[in-house]
Amino acid sequence: WIVDHIEDVIEIRSAVFLALTAIGQIVAVSSEDSSWLILLEKLTYAMINNNQDSHVPLIVYSSLQNGGYLLAREIVSRLNMVSIECKNEVLLCLNANIDQLRFNKNGCTVLKALNSVLE
């Protein structure tokens, strides 16, 4: 449901918290069965798609939103758990929109989440 309604999830704060809880559960069960990480990868790929209204990738759009940045930050902080191809696509997407992100308080918070990924 979250992947299918990702644009709505980003806009509704309670849905963001639902998505954060789901990610937490995926990460928890993936320690026993790594096949669960496929769900995290699907969600991450969904965040690369363009927003219908602003025509920027959802990861960037959500990074600039008051509630949505929490989801974007969580996705970014979990990039080491998805495939290298998926990780690289997100990194390219963030790099292409670096100016929008670094001049926004919420965007900076998302960029700081890259510290744990790039170490």
Side-chain angles (χ1 to χ4, degrees):
W1 182 87
I2 294 170
V3 171
D4 293 339
H5 298 91
I6 193 64
E7 287 199 34
D8 296 325
V9 169
I10 291 167
E11 298 289 338
I12 303 167
R13 195 168 180 91
S14 58
V16 168
F17 288 112
L18 171 70
L20 292 173
T21 302
I23 291 170
Q25 290 297 314
I26 291 168
V27 170
V29 297
S30 71
S31 63
E32 296 173 18
D33 182 2
S34 62
S35 66
W36 282 93
L37 293 176
I38 293 169
L39 294 174
L40 182 61
E41 188 155 323
K42 284 183 181 183
L43 178 58
T44 303
Y45 272 122
M47 293 291 284
I48 298 172
N49 294 328
N50 282 347
N51 177 275
Q52 291 180 359
D53 296 330
S54 65
H55 304 291
V56 297
L58 287 170
I59 191 92
V60 174
Y61 177 78
S62 63
S63 295
L64 304 175
Q65 304 304 310
N66 284 332
Y69 84 94
L70 296 169
L71 179 58
R73 182 185 66 191
E74 187 67 18
I75 296 283
V76 167
S77 71
R78 303 292 183 181
L79 285 177
N80 285 333
M81 301 181 88
V82 297
S83 69
I84 193 72
E85 295 84 11
C86 182
K87 176 181 175 179
N88 286 340
E89 284 195 46
V90 172
L91 292 175
L92 287 171
C93 180
L94 293 174
N95 187 49
N97 295 278
I98 192 77
D99 287 334
Q100 281 184 303
L101 295 169
R102 71 182 179 142
F103 292 119
N104 179 280
K105 181 179 84 172
N106 295 333
C108 283
T109 302
V110 172
L111 291 176
K112 286 179 187 175
L114 284 172
N115 285 337
S116 63
V117 173
L118 300 176
E119 290 179 341

